Amino acid sequence: MAKDFISNINNAVPVEEEDKILLEGSHDGIQELDNPLPPWWTYFFAGCVLFGIGYILYYHTFGIGSLQTVEYEKEVAIAQAKKEELLATKYAKINENTVVALADATELSTGKELYLGKCASCHLKDGGGNVGPNLTDENWLHGCDMKSVFKTITYGVPAKGMISWQTQLNPLQIQQIASYILTLKGTTPAKAKAPQGEICAK
Amino acid sequence: MDTQNLETFHYDNTSVRNFSIAVMFWGVIGMLVGLILALQLVFPSLNVASFLSFGRLRPLHTNAVIFAFVGNGTFAGVYYSLQRLCKTRMYSDLLSKINFWGWQLIIISAVFTLPFGYTSGKEYAELEWPIDIAIALVWVSFGANMMLTILHRRVKHLYVSIWFYIATFVAVTLLHLVNSFALPVSMLKSYSVYAGVQDALVQWWYGHNAVAFFLTTSYLGLMYYFVPKAANRPVYSYRLSIVHFWALIFLYIWAGPHHLLYTALPDWAQSLGVAFSIMLIAPSWGGMLNGLLTLRGAWDKVREDPVLKFMVVALTCYGMATFEGPLLSLKNVNAISHYTDWTIAHVHIGALGWNGFLTFGMLYWLFPVLYKTSLYSKKLANYHFWTGTLGIIFYAIPLYWAGFTQSLMWKQFDEEGMLVYQNFLDTVTQIIPMYGLRAFGGLLFFIGTLMMVYNLYKTAKQGTFAPDTEAKAPALMPSHEDGYWHRAIESRPIQLLFLSTIAILIGTVLELVPTFLIKSNVPTISSVKPLTPLELEGRDLYIKEGCNNCHSQMIRPFRSETERYGEYSKAGEFVYDHPHLWGSKRTGPDLAREGVVTGRNYKSNDWHYKHFRDPQEISPGSIMPKYTWLLENKLNASQTKAKINAMRTLGVPYPEGYEKEQAIKDLHQQANEIAATIKGAESDREVIAIIAYLQRLGTDISKKETLEEK
């Protein structure tokens, strides 16, 4: 049965009758049959060739399909729109114009945790400063009030090496970190980096 | 047959036996190195010395399996079958000897250069330029020996195996010569003459077609001889062999760019790679069908005979791999599979299943013939078959799982549009158990191979080897053509060689030439400047240590990648990269924007220093080897001058005379600056150079954001 099936779909001459299609001559004893091309294979091949031609026409000749950079821009635009919507709804009240420092202990401890994970490599665990400035002293480069700190974390200061965190942290998390950072003011770090920027009253 | 005109001659069995022994010897070595590499991914502490570290050993594994194991397999099979198909001895015993010993010397030189960091950095073509020249010479002596044998044949028509052998010879010669074109700096150091996008295209035109012609057409030729021989059945369809032969060699050569989908390679070249890969499925399957259908009426034998069992699995794996390959070439599938272990699983279906099992089947058939005896133990061969088959399964399935899992983790965003697995390492530790299972699969396969070596050793011992086999055949007389049109080509080997060359040149020329000549393919970025002398030395160390075996430098235009790594890579960023270092696998994270200070992955000099010393201390769970020797070895700057000169010759715009004094001054100054930022570091160590290079990566473009088309 299986044998018949295989012979049928391949349009093969049955094994018993293959003498009829045995080609003359042999190569070191190897003989060749002259079975026809399996029809499904021929159509499949033709189909693949048509696909290949169609592919080039679709993407290049007629320019219907989007090539990679266009594809990318679309993907980013969708994500951007989604993000803006999120900022306008869920995080509507947490932006650089409205944000306020949190005082709740659990919020601050979340902030601390995030700070240790994201900020400590440059500002040290106790905020004493290393690659980044000291966060415990009176001197600030980009403002010491809640809104300024929130803004600095969100957008970064690329020219000076402070990265923008808005793709890794949501506004609430930035609010938590900024609130925690403000609690460091006046503490005594193990190794304090020399003051940078102006003395900031508020 | 006219008995009066019978000529007596002798087949050379010694070469066949020598190559067969070499197959087993290098097979065992190549697989053992593979096993060590697989274990290193689970236990990074196994990177016990610089010359045994993953980055340096991986090229040895790939070269040993491709060129030593499969290469010797091809020679063994060709030397056996060609003589008998042509009814003549190999044309020149001297050329046969040069072929054998030359090839073994090349492999030995690989063993003594690659682990010590002498590498061109071009994947599957890592051997340095003097060895490349040797490869060309030995390969051509093989080809000359083969063509001269064919020209002195006593049979009019060339059997299908020989068409494949000829195509293999022509294509591999072309691939090797074009891809290896390099400018030497010293005896064991050279720079590819191609840079960036062009180098990547040439490299993958080569890499892909090394698979096509070194691992596929050669073995299809062997298959067409040994399968009907072992099964004692006529080949299923002569017509199918004609159609799939020409279609295969014509189409294959175009498909290289599918290794560079979503990279900075121009879109048109990528699309050609996709389209031609899909067209390739049927011609590839033609070979599988002709092999499997030849076994019609002999399936009862397959149940009994280990030789045929190996061949059936080999053909099945060939069919699977040549179906999977084109699927992986579809851009949406490739977006998931590329840079992951999926690729590694895919190539091992080919290497272990197709090449490995066909080699095993061939050797189990050859040894009893060469030694005029029967196989020592059929039972042991059956054990080998099952151990090997289980080995393939245990190897491939965990890696497919690992590749798919890791890729999805790389791409996963949460509801707020943030990457869920922001730390690359989390996606690595997730798949370590799969790496463990893969190593187990590799171990099974390796044990199976050892069983075969023992079995064939015993077979040889119990038999007697005859260096020559006497045969008789009438001399070839001129006669009229008859039958199929294709018969005319089959009786003219030079024309066949010529037509095969045309077939592979069409795709080659149409893809490579425009990429080199049309400026718009690589838009210039004016802020991209040559590396400083220290960074150049650092880059050479990056190549020496084989960092590109685990780290890519090519960010694809996906949001999941630009969020993780930074701005996607542009063609113009790589114009001075001789060779390109885009990589093909991300065992570790991409490094294309490693130096961008505002990038998510930026690390301080101090961090890099500590991380090279002990990656596990900084990133617990990391599987990167410890590079303590980079902290100990002093940077050898004696070639800096020659390197800058060579780069300038290749078109990298270093100012005239820069190398004379200023370059070394700059090198020391930059090294001092970097060392000053690292606690306890000395400025004259290799690690400083490699840190300098890493901190430069991807930064040029951010200095000036304008793309200028010239």
Side-chain angles (χ1 to χ4, degrees), chain A residues 12-13 18 28 31 33-35 41 60 68-69 71-72 75 79 90-91 118 158 163 167-170, chain B residues 84 225 229 233-239 262-263 271 282 296 416 418 422 484 559 562 568 598 600:
Chain A
V13 176
E18 68 187 20
D28 191 30
Q31 288 187 290
L33 295 170
D34 193 24
N35 271 304
W41 180 86
H60 296 275
Q68 61 187 32
T69 44
E71 217 178 16
Y72 173 68
E75 189 191 11
K90 189 173 173 188
Y91 299 119
K118 304 281 185 191
I163 75 167
T167 59
Q168 297 184 56
L169 298 164
N170 65 40
Chain B
R84 284 152 181 90
Y225 181 83
K229 271 278 170 194
R233 289 276 307 151
V235 171
Y236 174 74
S237 171
Y238 168 67
R239 263 181 273 179
Y262 285 114
T263 67
S271 295
R296 277 189 331 154
E416 298 197 356
M418 312 266 181
Q422 300 202 352
Y484 280 105
R559 190 166 73 95
T562 53
Y568 66 83
T598 51
R600 175 177 283 185

Side-chain angles (χ1 to χ4, degrees), chain B residues 352-371:
Chain B
L352 303 173
W354 164 238
N355 294 115
F357 268 35
L358 196 74
T359 309
F360 299 152
M362 180 181 84
L363 291 177
Y364 279 122
W365 186 86
L366 261 181
F367 263 67
V369 174
L370 289 176
Y371 286 89

Side-chain angles (χ1 to χ4, degrees), chain B residues 118-143:
Chain B
Y118 300 105
T119 167
S120 68
K122 297 192 57 150
E123 215 174 340
Y124 313 120
E126 286 90 349
L127 295 170
E128 264 299 349
W129 67 273
I131 309 173
D132 276 342
I133 293 173
I135 293 173
L137 293 175
V138 175
W139 182 257
V140 169
S141 65
F142 157 69

Side-chain angles (χ1 to χ4, degrees), chain A residues 47-67, chain B residues 267-268 270-276 279:
Chain A
C48 288
V49 171
L50 286 178
F51 175 91
I53 295 168
Y55 190 91
I56 300 292
L57 293 176
Y58 182 75
Y59 281 103
H60 296 275
T61 315
F62 301 123
I64 305 167
S66 315
L67 294 170
Chain B
D267 286 307
W268 63 266
Q270 294 188 31
S271 295
L272 283 179
V274 176
F276 278 86
M279 294 190 231

Side-chain angles (χ1 to χ4, degrees), chain B residues 17-32:
Chain B
R17 182 201 58 184
N18 291 351
F19 279 119
S20 303
I21 293 170
V23 177
M24 289 193 281
F25 180 76
W26 294 118
V28 168
I29 305 256
M31 290 171 207
L32 181 64

Side-chain angles (χ1 to χ4, degrees), chain B residues 513-625:
Chain B
V513 172
T515 311
F516 279 84
L517 294 186
I518 302 174
K519 274 270 176 193
S520 66
N521 282 322
V522 185
T524 312
I525 304 170
S526 60
S527 61
V528 172
K529 299 279 185 252
L531 297 178
T532 67
L534 187 67
E535 290 156 4
L536 183 63
E537 289 292 352
R539 186 174 197 272
D540 283 338
L541 287 167
Y542 185 97
I543 293 171
K544 178 182 176 186
E545 299 303 342
C547 304
N548 51 317
N549 286 305
C550 291
H551 295 279
S552 57
Q553 289 185 23
M554 174 48 63
I555 301 166
R556 297 177 290 178
F558 302 149
R559 190 166 73 95
S560 58
E561 298 209 354
T562 53
E563 288 285 308
R564 185 182 294 280
Y565 300 116
E567 193 176 348
Y568 66 83
S569 300
K570 313 289 189 296
E573 292 185 79
F574 305 99
V575 289
Y576 304 133
D577 269 22
H578 296 272
H580 79 292
L581 293 172
W582 294 0
S584 61
K585 174 73 172 66
R586 286 180 186 153
T587 303
D590 186 277
L591 300 177
R593 300 261 174 250
E594 189 60 24
V596 179
V597 179
T598 51
R600 175 177 283 185
N601 297 307
Y602 181 76
K603 306 290 191 311
S604 65
N605 293 338
D606 196 48
W607 184 95
H608 279 298
Y609 186 82
K610 287 180 186 145
H611 189 257
F612 276 119
R613 187 174 60 198
D614 189 353
Q616 286 72 36
E617 187 198 325
I618 306 287
S619 316
S622 164
I623 55 173
M624 177 162 146

Side-chain angles (χ1 to χ4, degrees), chain B residues 2 27 382 479 531 647:
Chain B
D2 188 353
N382 276 318
S479 64
L531 297 178
M647 282 295 187

